[in-house]
Amino acid sequence: MHARYTWRTLAREVGLILLALAFLVPLAGLLNVSLKPRDSQSGALAFAFPPTLDNYVQAWNQASLGAALANSFLITAVSVVLIIAFASTAAYPLARVTRGWSRYTFYFVIGGLLVPGQLALLPLYATMRDFGLLGSLWSVILINVGQQIPFSVFLYTMFLRELPLDYEEAALLDGCGPLRSFVSVVFPLLRPVTGTVVILNAVGIWNEFFTPLLYLGGSGNTTAPVAIYGFVSQYVSQWPLIFAGLVISVIPILVVYFALQKHIIKGFAGGLKG
Amino acid sequence: MAATHAPATSPGVREPTRQAPARRRRVGVRAPWWFVVPAISIYLFIVVVPSANGALFSFTDWNGLRADWSFVGLDNFTSVFSDRTALDALVNTLTLAAAATVVQNVAGLLLALGVNSMVKSRYVLRVIFFAPVVLTPLVAGYVWSFLLSPNGVVNDALRAAGLGALAHDWLGDPDTALYAIVLEIVWQFSGYSMVIYLAGLQAIPAEVLEAATIDGAGPWSKFRRVVLPLLNGAVVINVMLCLIGGLKQFDQVMAMTGGGPGTATETISTAIYKSAFSLGDFPFSIALAVVMTVVIAVLAGVQFRLTQRRSS
């Protein structure tokens, strides 16, 4: 691995850069088309000149993206906070208690990774309807939390099993109760894995389309992907307008990505390797 | 870079776990059992109970509205397996999952090998190749349906390259629509496979590769005999994720084709959604969901057995 930079490396570098540019074409096309006049028939790569922001104003007003983005943000934030609270506390005894029940409980929870959500779909839908939660953000939040528990508990448990007991022992000797010692000693030590859990869940929940489509579709409450879905079917083939809406809906997640990209790539790799 | 984040998989750090129980008994760190109650409650409410009910209701005529229902045996499954659309959806789903899994893993591994090497721009390249992963799948689907449209970028590029004869309506042609969706999935998620392979590659000790070089191994045999076997864990995780993701595919299909033309791109997920929420046929929909669960369980089991054998 300590090879020198040779001609072959240069060739590989050039090839990879060309490939990266090809990877960016869809994103560049998205941005470019969104800046064209609405009636433009020019090809996707014909440069938008002069660029116009008209589409953005129209899309923002007609797709009610403001409210949808606020809902997406709220759903993502509340879901992620609850997932962290529930999964980290659950993982604590699952990793620390050596008696039989914790092992079986652990298998019971991670078994959920193999069950597709579609199996629970209709009974869950009926239950939410009976509870009057259709159209409420809570239905989506509860579903996100429940569905993400297996994976998040798995990550926390694997991490905790490798964490030395020294700090907890010290806390115990200092007279901390279990709750106090979890909150002020154990949880801060979980920071790396909490980062992974936040990233994986935030990206997944922000982009989630199926659950909000089902539970919020047709109600006054929507999320960004559901609003976009409705918007696209309404303005079929008015690509510049549609693409402006698409850009607005993905700006938040792309900003977060480019700001945190180093940690995100690490977190994805680390979290999934566990 | 990612190796430090995965203490659980590194053999070097496994040891403390085995010693931990002895020390735990001595000092008695208390982790109260009721800490699991909130997580287990919501897991039961959202996943376990509805899934069990789903399995049960697939043998009944429950229509989702009435409280009463009665057992109808295998009737729902009979109607699933005698339904043209459902069978098409099953075949499409398996084809899509298999094609996406193979292509995405090969692409992801090649990208990982590329950006793991000495190239100077490797950090920027990683960021670019991974960017589509965070993009909303629905949005990516719309962008690609535009790129693949008759006057889209793909056809423009083909014409510019003098391959105009190949240009056509990729998503409107039943023979190409499914593979056009696979192309989109591969574009979007190869970066995902890449980071997992990258993590695997970086966990390979440099000495092992140096030893192979000293023993006279060329690049190919080094890859084939040293790198690939050590990547087994990454392969297992990647194949499992791609396969399950492909079998559940919904968002991109809804954005790109809505299941058409005809039933050419109908997947099990879109068929479940349509039969339940457009046609109101709950028994059919729920039986299809059970079929999907069985398919996933069987394929996951087969994959697990195969990889177990390979690593032993």
Side-chain angles (χ1 to χ4, degrees):
Chain A
M1 288 277 107
H2 300 287
R4 256 170 293 141
Y5 197 90
T6 59
W7 283 106
R8 280 176 67 165
T9 320
L10 180 68
R12 188 185 296 188
E13 178 131 33
V14 171
L16 281 166
I17 289 171
L18 290 176
L19 190 62
L21 291 176
F23 252 70
L24 287 174
V25 164
L27 294 178
L30 171 65
L31 196 61
N32 187 40
V33 171
S34 73
L35 295 171
K36 290 182 178 186
R38 202 145 338 133
D39 50 8
S40 165
Q41 294 299 323
S42 59
L45 293 185
F47 202 58
F49 192 85
T52 167
L53 289 176
D54 268 9
N55 300 312
Y56 285 85
V57 178
Q58 290 274 352
W60 178 265
N61 292 330
Q62 284 164 20
S64 345
L65 279 169
L69 287 172
N71 283 336
S72 280
F73 181 79
L74 202 65
I75 287 175
T76 307
V78 175
S79 301
V80 168
V81 167
L82 290 177
I83 288 168
I84 291 168
F86 292 177
S88 65
T89 46
Y92 188 45
L94 294 184
R96 287 291 187 248
V97 175
T98 47
R99 269 166 302 174
W101 72 267
S102 77
R103 199 154 48 100
Y104 296 117
T105 310
F106 179 65
Y107 291 140
F108 176 65
V109 173
I110 63 170
L113 289 172
L114 276 182
V115 182
Q118 280 83 348
L119 186 59
L121 184 66
L122 296 178
L124 192 56
Y125 186 80
T127 307
M128 290 291 178
R129 184 195 56 205
D130 295 345
F131 282 171
L133 286 174
L134 292 187
S136 153
L137 300 188
W138 280 108
S139 60
V140 177
I141 291 171
L142 288 173
I143 292 170
N144 286 336
V145 176
Q147 287 181 341
Q148 290 314 311
I149 284 291
F151 192 52
S152 304
V153 166
F154 174 74
L155 291 179
Y156 271 119
T157 308
M158 298 313 273
F159 187 85
L160 263 162
R161 284 184 178 165
E162 305 298 333
L163 201 68
L165 287 164
D166 306 0
Y167 297 100
E168 291 153 69
E169 290 169 357
L172 192 76
L173 293 176
D174 287 348
C176 273
L179 192 59
R180 175 83 192 283
S181 114
F182 180 81
V183 172
S184 48
V185 179
V186 178
F187 188 72
L189 291 171
L190 296 176
R191 239 182 71 180
V193 69
T194 299
T196 306
V197 171
V198 169
I199 289 161
L200 289 171
N201 285 308
V203 171
I205 292 170
W206 181 274
N207 288 337
E208 167 73 25
F209 169 58
F210 189 77
T211 305
L213 172 70
L214 214 52
Y215 290 91
L216 303 178
S219 75
N221 286 326
T222 54
T223 62
V226 180
I228 286 297
Y229 183 67
F231 183 61
V232 172
S233 32
Q234 202 180 340
Y235 293 93
V236 195
S237 79
Q238 290 201 38
W239 291 108
L241 183 62
I242 288 173
F243 276 26
L246 298 185
V247 172
I248 296 173
S249 80
V250 295
I251 283 176
I253 197 76
L254 286 183
V255 166
V256 169
Y257 172 61
F258 284 108
L260 300 176
Q261 36 84 14
K262 216 172 143 186
H263 307 280
I264 288 182
I265 295 183
K266 265 189 200 167
F268 263 93
L272 288 162
K273 266 189 75 191
Chain B
M1 60 171 211
T4 51
H5 271 251
T9 50
S10 159
V13 265
R14 269 261 154 89
E15 275 329 297
T17 338
R18 268 173 229 134
Q19 291 161 8
R23 285 167 55 205
R24 198 172 305 146
R25 239 170 272 126
R26 203 187 65 220
V27 186
V29 164
R30 286 166 302 158
W33 63 270
W34 51 266
F35 268 32
V36 302
V37 171
I40 295 286
S41 309
I42 194 160
Y43 173 61
L44 285 171
F45 178 66
I46 298 293
V47 178
V48 179
V49 172
S51 298
N53 277 335
L56 172 74
F57 284 136
S58 68
F59 299 99
T60 72
D61 60 358
W62 182 64
N63 74 354
L65 298 170
R66 295 197 317 261
D68 61 314
W69 44 268
S70 54
F71 281 101
V72 295
L74 294 173
D75 282 9
N76 297 325
F77 295 95
T78 316
S79 52
V80 164
F81 284 107
S82 53
D83 182 89
R84 195 66 235 165
T85 307
L87 292 179
D88 284 349
L90 196 58
V91 173
N92 290 339
T93 305
L94 292 173
T95 311
L96 182 144
T101 301
V102 171
V103 183
Q104 184 182 316
N105 273 282
V106 172
L109 182 56
L110 290 175
L111 290 177
L113 289 168
V115 299
N116 192 42
S117 61
M118 292 293 291
V119 296
K120 287 188 163 49
S121 51
R122 58 185 180 273
Y123 295 108
V124 179
L125 290 170
R126 284 175 200 170
V127 173
I128 293 174
F129 289 134
F130 191 78
V133 175
V134 295
L135 195 66
T136 311
L138 185 80
V139 169
Y142 285 129
V143 174
W144 273 91
S145 69
F146 176 73
L147 298 179
L148 291 164
S149 64
N151 290 311
V153 172
V154 172
N155 286 331
D156 282 353
L158 285 173
R159 288 189 199 102
L163 295 168
L166 290 176
H168 74 300
D169 186 2
W170 300 97
L171 293 167
D173 177 349
D175 291 333
T176 55
L178 194 64
Y179 296 99
I181 294 175
V182 170
L183 173 69
E184 191 283 339
I185 293 172
V186 169
W187 172 77
Q188 181 153 29
F189 294 115
S190 289
Y192 205 103
S193 299
M194 177 193 77
V195 293
I196 298 172
Y197 281 123
L198 204 51
L201 285 173
Q202 292 179 348
I204 296 176
E207 304 87 69
V208 176
L209 292 170
E210 278 161 23
T213 315
I214 293 168
D215 289 347
W220 171 246
S221 73
K222 211 158 52 173
F223 172 74
R224 175 82 184 69
R225 296 181 191 283
V226 181
V227 175
L228 210 50
L230 287 172
L231 281 181
N232 198 32
V235 175
V236 173
I237 292 168
N238 259 327
V239 170
M240 190 73 98
L241 284 170
C242 286
L243 205 56
I244 293 179
L247 292 172
K248 292 184 187 173
Q249 178 50 238
F250 180 81
D251 298 16
Q252 281 95 340
V253 173
M254 287 302 270
M256 293 172 75
T257 62
T263 57
T265 60
E266 201 76 76
T267 64
I268 302 184
S269 288
T270 60
I272 289 172
Y273 175 74
K274 287 176 188 170
S275 59
F277 298 101
S278 307
L279 308 172
D281 193 347
F282 274 41
F284 185 88
S285 174
I286 214 161
L288 198 50
V290 172
V291 171
M292 177 181 192
T293 308
V294 172
V295 169
I296 290 181
V298 167
L299 289 179
V302 167
Q303 196 228 342
F304 188 72
R305 285 293 294 273
L306 286 177
T307 46
Q308 284 290 91
R309 192 176 309 153
R310 223 178 56 182
S311 58
S312 64

